[in-house]
Amino acid sequence: MSKKVHIIGSGFSSLSAACYLAKAGYDVTIFEKNNGIGGRARQFKKEGFTFDMGPSWYWMPDVFESFFNDFNKQVADFYHVSKLDPAYRVYFGKENSISIGDTLEKIYNAFEKEEPGSSKKLTKFIASAKENYNIAIKNLVYRPGVSPLELITPETIIRIGQFFSTIAKDVKKEFKNERLIKILEFPVLFLGAKPSDTPSFYNFMNYADFGLGTWQPKGGMFSVIKGMSVLAESLGVKIRTNTDVDKIVVENGVCKGLLSQGEFIASDIVLSGADYHHTETLLDKKYRQYSEHYWAKKTFAPSSLLFYVGFDKKLKNIDHHNLFFDTDFDTHAREIYDHPKWPDKPLFYANFTSVTDPETAPKNCENGFFLIPIAPGIEDNATIREDYFNRIIERFEKITNQVVKNNIIFKESFCVNDFKQQYNSYKGNAYGMANTLLQTAFLRPKLKSKKVEGLFFTGQLTVPGPGVPPALISGKLVSGLIQKFLPIETKEPEMI
């Protein structure tokens, strides 16, 4: 008889784990509280416009390809991706921007134009980043975080100093141009921490950026979710939406199942891809591994104020991805991490998938996704949202030299309160727990519960960390632990 695995949540990590477990022979059902799959990577449609609600950057394409290869499939069997050129544009003010191209040669030329001699330094920097990327992918990120020994390899031993220096120190030691420094520090924001708090080893994110490039799935990031769900269902995974989980039932330290909408559902394994902190509140207090004090002292990645905007015309002077770094980077970072408050002059990000994928907006229209990173847990209300929308749209108009306010068909917002309500997100964080030195690998919350047999976790608050590629990897890691904990019995062939 198949072992029943019940998974809470339907984001990237949950779908990944579901596929691996179903392939191994488990009876897998996913329970999703919302009316659609994808978790933070859900899709929003309105008046002919299509938006990714959360993740919008497709980096590390090798991780996605590796995932589908594990099922004898390819990315192209489920969705189409194309490399963006430019990958993104960084604005520092009106008529003042740098475009990051789709090849290292183009990027070296852009750096050299900005700071003579910098291309040689960048060549050396990216070579180191590539080495670290290969070490991370081959030796580190596919390890389940159960022991500090996982980090000790011949390659990491000779790089031990990189775990005690920081990205910010390394970049500023080599580069003097503030604009180039901002561009090189930007990728580690995907790890959810300040460059000054992120170990040097994580410069592999710069190789993910410059070396591997920025890609875009046709139809948006939700195309990846749809592809994974098609794969999961082809393997026998059942997906139940509009199905909230109210309690994880435990008897004598052993997980027995779920209580959902008044129904008890017996389980051999419960795996949660939902917010880790929230999941533990579904347990009786004695079975929780981490106290409220534990969570309160951890460094969380930012939350976000998001706007989904439909424009009734094509916009000028924009690319697919656009970073607005026309205010002070370090000040905004301090307002997120050191002294949590609404930022006085926030940096922001905007993407327009309709620039490269016209089907995501009506003809001669543009879909705009705007994001302001903010501290988790701060006050959130309609008045604040409107104030900040006006602030960034005025800067957007000035920097891109166009008027767009009167061309807005609609705008919808999403912020701290929505992250809490729709995703049960701790303090309304958007990206999980930051990957600082003391929150890396075995120092992160565990994939396997220490107090409840048969209870496991996956996703951005556990191993390996925040981001979409790590979420895919997290699902694979936890599926391996489950298979070791409760292997599927194979029947011995009968002797003739």
Side-chain angles (χ1 to χ4, degrees):
M1 186 174 177
S2 294
K3 305 294 186 183
K4 292 185 180 297
V5 178
H6 293 144
I7 300 178
I8 306 172
S10 64
F12 282 109
S13 58
S14 293
L15 288 170
S16 171
C19 289
Y20 285 108
L21 291 166
K23 179 187 176 186
Y26 295 83
D27 181 355
V28 182
T29 303
I30 290 174
F31 297 83
E32 169 57 55
K33 74 183 288 284
N34 294 308
N35 61 8
I37 63 171
R40 287 167 169 79
R42 290 184 298 159
Q43 189 180 70
F44 168 58
K45 290 187 174 185
K46 183 172 181 177
E47 298 184 30
F49 294 83
T50 300
F51 302 87
D52 287 313
M53 291 189 68
S56 58
W57 292 78
Y58 192 100
W59 275 8
M60 302 169 68
D62 51 325
V63 173
F64 294 88
E65 200 65 64
S66 177
F67 169 78
F68 286 106
N69 289 169
D70 283 342
F71 303 91
N72 297 315
K73 301 289 185 181
Q74 298 178 2
V75 161
D77 294 328
F78 298 93
Y79 56 91
H80 174 72
V81 291
S82 55
K83 197 173 189 181
L84 296 177
D85 184 26
Y88 54 91
R89 191 191 307 197
V90 186
Y91 285 95
F92 299 96
K94 186 176 182 179
E95 298 179 359
N96 184 357
S97 67
I98 296 176
S99 288
I100 300 301
D102 63 340
T103 66
L104 282 171
E105 183 179 0
K106 291 179 182 177
I107 297 168
Y108 293 149
N109 289 338
F111 268 58
E112 192 65 25
K113 184 178 179 181
E114 184 69 22
E115 180 184 320
S118 63
S119 62
K120 291 183 179 179
K121 296 177 182 179
L122 183 60
T123 301
K124 181 180 176 183
F125 186 83
I126 293 300
S128 170
K130 182 178 181 179
E131 289 179 359
N132 286 353
Y133 185 87
N134 290 331
I135 292 167
I137 291 296
K138 293 175 183 176
N139 296 324
L140 300 181
V141 298
Y142 283 95
R143 300 190 179 191
V146 298
S147 166
L149 297 178
E150 293 173 1
L151 296 178
I152 301 175
T153 70
E155 292 83 3
T156 57
I157 288 173
I158 63 174
R159 290 169 172 79
I160 191 67
Q162 293 187 22
F163 290 91
F164 296 97
S165 184
T166 69
I167 293 287
K169 284 182 182 177
D170 291 354
V171 169
K172 288 172 181 173
K173 183 170 65 177
E174 296 293 335
F175 299 90
K176 304 306 176 188
N177 184 291
E178 284 298 322
R179 305 198 319 170
L180 299 185
I181 289 171
K182 285 184 179 181
I183 291 172
L184 288 169
E185 290 183 338
F186 151 68
V188 302
L189 299 180
F190 285 94
L191 301 173
K194 292 191 299 183
S196 58
D197 290 336
T198 303
S200 300
F201 181 78
Y202 283 103
N203 71 3
F204 66 73
M205 291 298 295
N206 292 103
Y207 178 71
D209 178 2
F210 291 175
L212 298 177
T214 301
W215 300 71
Q216 176 66 13
K218 184 174 177 57
M221 291 293 287
F222 190 69
S223 295
V224 186
I225 290 291
K226 287 197 292 187
M228 293 178 71
S229 68
V230 168
L231 174 62
E233 290 179 325
S234 75
L235 294 165
V237 175
K238 298 172 284 294
I239 300 175
R240 294 172 56 175
T241 55
N242 293 308
T243 309
D244 206 353
V245 171
D246 304 310
K247 187 175 178 63
I248 298 172
V249 179
V250 180
E251 294 179 6
N252 299 319
V254 178
C255 185
K256 293 298 182 179
L258 305 173
L259 192 64
S260 174
Q261 299 171 339
E263 175 189 5
F264 172 71
I265 304 166
S267 315
D268 294 298
I269 296 288
V270 169
L271 167 61
S272 180
D275 179 273
Y276 205 122
H277 170 269
H278 167 73
T279 302
E280 290 221 309
T281 68
L282 302 179
L283 296 163
D284 292 337
K285 199 166 185 178
K286 64 181 178 180
Y287 293 126
R288 299 173 191 174
Q289 304 170 93
Y290 304 107
S291 66
E292 289 298 321
H293 176 70
Y294 170 90
W295 295 111
K297 69 181 182 179
K298 292 299 178 183
T299 300
F300 273 79
S303 185
S304 298
L305 171 54
L306 303 166
F307 295 100
Y308 313 103
V309 186
F311 295 95
D312 68 4
K313 69 174 183 179
K314 301 300 289 184
L315 305 187
K316 301 183 301 180
N317 302 323
I318 57 168
D319 289 312
H320 184 110
H321 294 294
N322 309 268
L323 300 167
F324 292 83
F325 285 2
D326 54 309
T327 59
D328 189 74
F329 188 106
D330 294 329
T331 298
H332 189 171
R334 286 193 294 270
E335 291 167 335
I336 294 173
Y337 295 102
D338 301 334
H339 308 289
K341 55 175 281 193
W342 278 94
D344 290 329
K345 296 178 180 179
L347 285 72
F348 68 97
Y349 156 70
N351 85 52
F352 305 88
T353 61
S354 47
V355 169
T356 57
D357 189 354
E359 293 181 11
T360 58
K363 188 176 180 180
N364 296 320
C365 294
E366 214 84 84
N367 67 341
F369 170 103
F370 295 83
L371 181 154
I372 303 173
I374 58 174
I378 59 177
E379 181 185 5
D380 170 26
N381 60 51
T383 301
I384 293 173
R385 296 186 190 194
E386 187 67 18
D387 174 39
Y388 275 83
F389 180 76
N390 290 329
R391 292 194 199 191
I392 64 170
I393 210 69
E394 287 172 6
R395 281 167 52 197
F396 176 82
E397 289 182 324
K398 180 179 178 181
I399 291 169
T400 62
N401 195 30
Q402 62 189 315
V403 177
V404 301
K405 267 187 181 179
N406 296 332
N407 299 99
I408 294 174
I409 301 171
F410 67 84
K411 74 172 187 293
E412 301 285 348
S413 65
F414 198 98
C415 198
V416 172
N417 293 343
D418 301 298
F419 280 102
K420 291 178 181 177
Q421 190 273 323
Q422 297 193 35
Y423 306 134
N424 296 311
S425 173
Y426 181 72
K427 291 186 177 180
N429 81 82
Y431 307 108
M433 187 183 289
N435 252 343
T436 60
L437 178 61
L438 297 179
Q439 294 180 176
T440 294
F442 67 97
L443 296 173
R444 297 181 70 80
K446 303 301 183 185
L447 291 165
K448 182 177 183 291
S449 174
K450 297 176 289 186
K451 292 191 174 183
V452 180
E453 284 192 21
L455 175 60
F456 294 79
F457 302 83
T458 188
Q460 58 189 8
L461 266 69
T462 182
V463 179
V468 176
L472 298 182
I473 294 168
S474 185
K476 181 174 184 176
L477 293 174
V478 77
S479 71
L481 292 182
I482 290 170
Q483 290 173 57
K484 287 181 181 178
F485 174 78
L486 189 68
I488 296 288
E489 296 176 7
T490 56
K491 188 175 180 181
E492 293 291 331
E494 295 182 5
M495 300 296 292
I496 299 177

